[in-house]
Amino acid sequence: MKTNRVMDEIRSTTSPEMKMQMEMSVAIANRIYEILEAKGMSQKDLAHRLGKTETEVSRWLSGTHNLTLATICKISAALGTDVVKVTSQYQPAYELEPMVAAES
């Protein structure tokens, strides 16, 4: 498989936190698409329910937009179902190294 050297460099220098954020953003966008499909709704329908433009909702669902918790809650309310569910059993996709306080 041919790879792009520049993209390989970017991937190799991306922090675990950023990788997790990208993965979660895509997962949230995919979840919203699943809900829309299950309800027979379009992005335009969601935009109308939220009082937003279809372009703005499309940008949100690109998987690259950093949705706020408030926006996720508004989308959940507009769709009548949880987009994100937080449980005490959460298993992170990536293991993060513990933060260590710097010594003086």
Side-chain angles (χ1 to χ4, degrees), residues 7-94:
M7 289 306 295
D8 288 343
E9 177 65 24
I10 291 169
R11 283 186 197 100
S12 71
T13 60
T14 302
S15 70
E17 294 87 359
M18 183 54 74
K19 286 177 184 176
M20 182 183 276
Q21 180 180 336
M22 290 184 298
E23 182 179 282
M24 285 184 166
S25 292
V26 170
I28 290 168
N30 287 340
R31 171 75 175 134
I32 294 168
Y33 275 120
E34 290 170 1
I35 296 168
L36 289 173
E37 186 175 315
K39 293 183 173 280
M41 292 175 61
S42 66
Q43 287 184 33
K44 184 176 183 176
D45 297 328
L46 178 58
H48 179 73
R49 287 187 181 191
L50 293 169
K52 301 292 182 182
T53 66
E54 189 175 353
T55 302
E56 186 170 9
V57 170
S58 178
R59 204 175 12 229
W60 291 352
L61 299 183
S62 69
T64 59
H65 189 80
N66 188 13
L67 293 169
T68 65
L69 182 56
T71 300
I72 293 169
C73 290
K74 288 176 186 177
I75 293 170
S76 294
L79 295 174
T81 190
D82 290 336
V83 170
V84 174
K85 212 176 265 193
V86 178
T87 68
S88 61
Q89 302 297 319
Y90 176 72
Q91 296 295 318
Y94 297 95

